[in-house]
Every structure is written in structure tokens, then in C-alpha cells.
Amino acid sequence: MKWYISLKNSITILLMALSGGALFWIIDSYLDLRYFYRGEGAFIELLISDIPAHEIWVRLVVIIVFLIGGILMMLYVNKLKREYYYRQIQQQAIIMKEKRYRSLIESMNEGIALHEPVYDHTGRAVDYRILEVNRRYEEITGLTRDEALMSTASEIYHQDTAPYLDIYQRVTDTGVPESFETYYEPLGKYLSISVFRPEPGQFATVFEDITVRKLYEQEKEETQRKLKTLLGNLPGMAYRCENEPLYTMKFVSEGCKTLTGYSEDELTNNSKVAYGDLIHPDDKEMVWKTIQASVEQNEPFKLEYRIKTTGNSEKWVWEKGVGIPSENGKVNILEGFISDITELKEKEKKIQKQVTEYHALYEEYLTQSEELTQTLENTRQINKELEEARKKAEEGDRLKSAFLANMSHEIRTPLNGIVGFAELFDDPEIDDKDSKRYRHIIKENSHQLLNIVSDLLDISKLDAGQIELYEEAFSLNGLMDELFETLQLKAGEHGIELRVQKDLGDKKAYIRSDKYRLMQIINNLVSNALKFTDEGYVKYGYRLKQKNLEFYVEDTGIGIRPEMQEKIFERFRQADLEITKIRGGTGLGLTITKNLVEIMGGKIWLESEKGKGSIFYFNIPYKPAHEFQKEAVSDTTVLNEHDVSSTHVVLIVEDEESNFDYMSTILKRMNLKVIGALTGEEAIEKTKKHPEIELILMDIKLPVLNGYEAIREIRKDHPHIPIVAQTAFASEKDRITANEAGCDDYLVKPIRSQHLKDMIKKYVHQ
């Protein structure tokens, strides 16, 4: 300012001097001053000279020019003065603005940091430098301002790469702000970060510590999850609704679907139906008045009423709730719980009805003595029945004990034969004749033990209600012939003639039923007949009677006493325990047979005379198959054990070493080449590696990849290779599952050598 005042003063003096000089110059041109003395003193004489007019004008113009120049100079100086003054004001404003800006930033609850990217020699951003931070930045990060300024992010945060560099670089390049939330592990905090570009080549972050909020949200979510789980498990519907006649639901729990038939979305905000419209018309007014009366008294409400569900069925519900007052004290919201009490109401009706009936009986009891007598008689009858029940229970315990003792004998007997004669094979002096006899005894005892185990499994399934029927179309005549082939050998061993009778032609005998269970029933009855017949014959067959197939098994055996003919179907019963000790058996066969017949929709009965024989009958519904399939006659050449060339290859998939050795030994004796696999994966690989494989014997229960899954994979590349399932799972359902997986046939463990040979002959051709 001093230089300006000095300049102004100098210019003013100069202008005054110039103006004065010019004026003097003009005056001097006109006046001629002369000095002279007289005796009284000195005198000045002013003389006006004659000056040419044009010279006067020239001098006036010069003066005017000087004056205009001076004025312009003064105006310029004033302009400089104003500009200087404005600059001073702007500088003061900038200083004040920076102070206010800094004070504002420092007082913010969010951390703020200004950065600039750091680029490598290729121009790629590899880091960023911190240019400025506020107080809150220091509090959140734990870093001081001095530590942060001009440091790179990777240095100050001790990380190989700068955090969130890709986002920051994108904002720096585009200028488009971005916001995100993140968990920053080095600080152990959740942060909410907003990024913007204050000017080109820089970016600023505004971040907030939201750890408390995040933890609260997580806790809230967990609480809501637990609440939803709790409400979902309640036998009813929790709700929150508006206090108006439609009861517009704002929230309902998952139980609403079971209670009303409508989902949460359908009930909420009356999206499909209003809860008020579900209330029975006769109960609506009562419900409204009851709720409003309780709300006015500021008390919880409880009530019972009827609703209509999706199927237009009627339910009784019990509701308990409370009104939620708003800030002005008005109750606009109701909250509560509604449960289904329909079953309880029905029980109440029954109880009420019984109470009414009992009351009537009581009245009659008081007025009629005969009723009292009858009641006493009934009491005696009940006591008698209780006594009989007690005796039956004692008899049941006795039979169970006898059964357990007999079962122990039945199991230990074949086991003794198996173990004992197996040990005899260790005798080095055993000859071929004895060896053959020992093998026969072991085989017979093994079959006997297998039958006992099968009976125990069946009775367990019956107790558990796990017996299921699997109907299929099959030839009944074929089944009867198949049983004849199986049972004829046993009949020959007993010296008994076995006969079979078929009443229907092949077309009508093609039926739908559970083939496996029907075969089990007939086999049980025929095997029983053979066991209790010493001479004569056993005949079995069937006939069509109206809509039922009636089966019969007739024998010339020992017969059954009349008093035992009903009891033999009871569990643990046999007609004569002494005979049981002689003939053997578990006492479960007829029980299983009776239960299977009844499950198949039929009944069983018998006719018998002691010493002359018995006839067992049972029937099942006749269900003809609509599509008759004539039994196929195999054109496969029947092969002997050594008719198969060694060029034929069979893959045995079995994880039990003893089972593999057993089957491979039989196959090698048939001059077959054997390839082994322990797992499903190995079976798939060996099938791909050996295209010469003609038959696969697939165990079902394998580790990792089971047999069914392995079969499906093999079938993708080899749809025509015969695959035979061999498993201990023996139910009809397992057979169906094997067929669906792609099996051609089925062997049930334990596998008899003849069954295995027959299967080889069936699928391996010469």
C-alpha cells in the first residue's frame, strides 16, 4: 500500500508542477514585468506584450494535453488501487475459507484422506501416496498425521499391494464417485468408504468405522433367524396385523400355511385374501367385539372361533393377542398367536357326548335295578376276559421261551455240523468218500441255517411293518413249474411223490402280483408238507374261483388235531412241540405265510384229520395282466462245465476276498478267464481296457462308487454286455432297482455254485 501512496503523491505533484509551469509559460508570454526604483522605493511595472494568436492556441492545446494525461494517469492509478484492494480481500477470503475448511474437516466424524496415485515406468498405478488426513483418520487407523503424510499405502499399511487400488484408480481416471463397505483385516474393522476425485490426478476417501453397526446387524440377523426358526416350529401362526375388520396382516409366521392353507405372501397385506374374510360369518361379530372390548381395557384377549381354509374346510382356532398402542395412545396394531384346536374341539364333542350318554346311563342305573345286575354281569365277563388274557400272556411267555430254546437248538445244530465237519477236513487221512460226504453235510446245514436267518428277517420286517409288495406281470404256470423243479429234489430225498395241478391256460395264467412273495408262500407250505409227510404224496395247485385265485397244498402226512388248527398260525406255535423236536423248524413259517397272504389281500385256512393228512388253502385277488407275454424259450446252447472256451472272459467285481476266490474258482473250473476288480471305479476302467469281456458279475455294495452307479457308467459305453448283480440284498425292491440300473439278471448271496454255473451258461455262449 505504501508504494501505491508514494506513486500517487509523486504523480500528483508532477501534474501540479506541469500545470503550473504551463500556466506560467502562457502568462509569461503576455506579461512583461519590469523592476525600477524611484526615490520613494522600488516599483514593478507590468507590461502586456502582443503575442500572436496561433501561438496562444498552441500553448493552450499543450496545457490541455498535459491535463488530460494527468487525469488518465490518475484514473490508472485508481484502477491499480482497486485491483490491489480486491486481491487483498480475496487473499483474506482464501485464508478464511481454508481455515473454515480445515476446521470443518477436523470436526467431521468421518475419516478423510487425500491421495495421489503412484505410477511405475509403464504408467500403471502400483500404489498411492497420502497427501492430507484429518483427526478422525488418525483415530480410526491409529496412525498419526506425521506418519501418514507423503507415505505410500503399501508402506504405512504394511501390505504387498495397496488396498482397494483398482477402485481408487478407476475413480481417479473416470471422476465417477464410488462407495462400498468392506472388512479391513489389518485394522480388524468394518469400514464404509466413499471415493471421489477433488481434482485431476488425485482422489479423496471419506470413510467411517461401521464395526458396531455391522456387528449389530449380524446379531440382529441371527436373532431374526432364531425367531423365525422358533416361530416356524410353533404349531400355529404368529401374526402382526392392523386393528380393523379385515385384520390386514403385516407379518405372519410359516405356520400360516398349515393353519389356513395360504402362504405368507398370500396373507400379507391381503395380497390374495384377507384374514378377516377367513373368519366364519357367524363368528365375525363376536371376534370383533371381543377384541375391541379387551383393547379398550388395555388387556390381552383370548377367544375361540371358526375359520374357512383353502379347501373350504372348517377349523376351530384359539387366539391370544394384545393391542399395541401408538404414540397418540390409539391401538392401530394387534399382535398375537393363533393355533388349530379342531382336534381338541372334536374330542370335547366326543367327551360331551360320552358325558351325556354316561349321565343317561347313570339315570337309568338309578331307576332300573336290572341295569345294575347287567353291569355286574359285565364286570364278571370283563374279569373273565382279563383272566383269559393273563393266561394267554403267560402262554405267550412260555411259548416265547420254548421258541428261544428251540431257536438256539435250530441255529446251533447246523452250525455244529458246519464247524465240526469243516474241522474234519484238517485230518490228513480223510479219503475222497468221506470228503464228499462232509461237503454234502456242510452244504445242507448251510442251506438250513440260511432258511432260519431268512425266517427271522421276515418276521422282523413284519413286526416293523416294512413288508412291501411289488407287483409285476408274470406267468403263474411258469412259477408253479419253477417251484416243481426246485422242490422235486427234496421230495425225492424224502421218498414222497410231488404233484402239481394248474387250472388255467397260459394266457389266463398271465397275472399281476408279487411273484417273489407268492413263491415264498407256496414254497413254505409245500416244504412244511414234505417235512411232516413220511409216505404218500404232496400235491399243490390252484383254481380260479370267481374273482380270486384259490391255492391249495395237500399232503398225506401226520395231520393236525382240531384244537391246534387255529393255533398253528400263531407265532412260536407248532402243532406238537415233541414232534418239533423230531421234525425241526423254527415255528415261524406258518406265521410268516399267514401275514403275507393277508398283506396280499387274501386269507388262509386248513382242513386236517389227525393221522390222515392236511390241506392248506389260501386265496389272493385274481389280477389278469392285460398284455400276455408267452414265456420265451431260450435258444442258448446248454453248456457243460468244460464246454466253454478259455477265450471267454468274465469280470468279477467283488471287494470281499473270500467271495472273489469262491466265484473265480468255479469259473476257472469252467475253463473261463477271470478278471477281478475291487471297486466300482476299477470295474469301469477294466471294462474300457478289456473289450473282450463277455459277462460282468457286479457286487452292489462297493466302497466309494457302489455297484448301481458303476453299472450306469458302464452302460454308457457298453450297452450290450450282460451284467449280473450279486448281492445280499434279497428283496423284490432290490431286484427292481437292479433292473432299472441296467442289470440283466440277479444272484442272491449266499450264491450256490449251481446257480452261478447256470448263470454262466445262460450268458456265455460257445
Side-chain angles (χ1 to χ4, degrees), residues 83-99:
E83 289 179 353
Y84 175 79
Y85 179 71
Y86 290 150
R87 280 198 298 271
Q88 289 293 317
I89 293 174
Q90 288 175 353
Q91 289 177 358
Q92 291 295 325
I94 290 172
I95 293 172
M96 292 299 295
K97 186 176 180 180
E98 287 180 350
K99 288 182 178 179

Side-chain angles (χ1 to χ4, degrees), residues 71 79 129 135 186 269-270 289 356 382 490 497 710:
I71 292 169
K79 180 182 177 184
R129 186 175 290 108
R135 173 189 55 79
N269 293 320
N270 304 336
K289 288 182 177 180
T356 303
I382 291 172
K490 185 184 292 186
E497 179 187 358

